[in-house]
Amino acid sequence: MNELFDKLIIRLAFTLFICGVLYLYKYVHVIIYPASRYHLLRKFNTIKYSTEYFHFLSHIIGVGILFSELSFTLNNGIIWSLSDFFIKAFLSFFLYLCSIYVIDSIVLYNFEHQDEISKKKNYSYALITMAHALGFSYILKTIIEISQDSLIT
C-alpha cells in the first residue's frame, strides 16, 4: 500500500512540475524574446499573431518532448527519487533553453526575431525555429537517456 501511495505522490508531483515549467516558460520566452511581451502577456489573439504563437508553441512542444522520457527510481525512497528528478529536470530544462538561444543566434544571425516574427509575420522563420526546437529536444532527450543520469559522460 505504501508503494502505491508513493507512486500517486510521484505522479502528482510530476504533473504539477510539468504544468509549472510550462507556465514558467511563458515568462522565460518573454525574457529571451522581448518583442513577444505584448503578444504573450496581454492579448491572446492567435489569428492576428499566428507566427508568434506558432514559434512559442513549438518551444512548448520541445519542452514536452524533453520531459517525456524522465523517470523515477524508487530504490532509495521517495525523497531521493523526487530530488533526483527535480535536479535532472531543471538541468535539462536549462540546457534546452541555452541551446535553443545559441542555435537561434548562430543559425539565424542575419535575422531579428522582432522583425521576422512580429512585424513581417514570416512563417518560414517560425517553421525553421520550430525545426530547431523539436530537433534539439529529441537530441537532448537522447543524450539524457544515454548518459544515464550523468551530465559528465
Side-chain angles (χ1 to χ4, degrees):
M1 188 69 178
N2 195 17
E3 186 176 321
L4 291 174
F5 187 65
D6 288 347
K7 287 182 180 180
L8 177 67
I9 290 174
I10 286 174
R11 287 184 181 156
L12 182 65
F14 182 70
T15 304
L16 290 176
F17 178 77
I18 294 295
C19 290
V21 164
L22 294 179
Y23 186 73
L24 176 72
Y25 183 75
K26 177 180 176 181
Y27 295 103
V28 171
H29 187 81
V30 169
I31 292 170
I32 294 174
Y33 304 105
S36 65
R37 177 172 297 162
Y38 177 74
H39 309 303
L40 291 176
L41 296 180
R42 294 192 186 112
K43 291 192 174 189
F44 191 77
N45 189 352
T46 57
I47 303 297
K48 191 174 180 182
Y49 306 111
S50 58
T51 54
E52 181 70 43
Y53 289 109
F54 186 68
H55 180 258
F56 176 70
L57 190 64
S58 67
H59 288 185
I60 291 289
I61 292 170
V63 170
I65 289 170
L66 180 66
F67 289 146
S68 67
E69 287 294 322
L70 291 178
S71 61
F72 294 93
T73 55
L74 291 174
N75 295 342
N76 297 329
I78 191 166
I79 302 295
W80 287 106
S81 65
L82 284 175
S83 64
D84 179 49
F85 168 74
F86 287 133
I87 290 170
K88 215 178 350 177
F90 278 122
L91 284 176
S92 59
F93 183 64
F94 181 72
L95 284 173
Y96 177 74
L97 290 178
C98 290
S99 64
I100 290 299
Y101 180 73
V102 168
I103 286 173
D104 283 349
S105 64
I106 289 174
V107 174
L108 304 168
Y109 68 94
N110 284 335
F111 305 103
E112 289 290 325
H113 176 78
Q114 181 178 3
D115 294 338
E116 297 297 323
I117 295 289
S118 300
K119 292 179 183 175
K120 295 180 185 176
K121 305 208 180 345
N122 191 350
Y123 280 102
S124 60
Y125 182 90
L127 187 66
I128 289 170
T129 57
M130 181 191 87
H132 289 156
L134 297 180
F136 195 77
S137 64
Y138 275 114
I139 290 171
L140 190 61
K141 181 179 87 166
T142 305
I143 289 171
I144 291 170
E145 276 180 37
I146 291 173
S147 68
Q148 296 176 354
D149 302 335
S150 174
L151 290 175
I152 297 171
T153 57

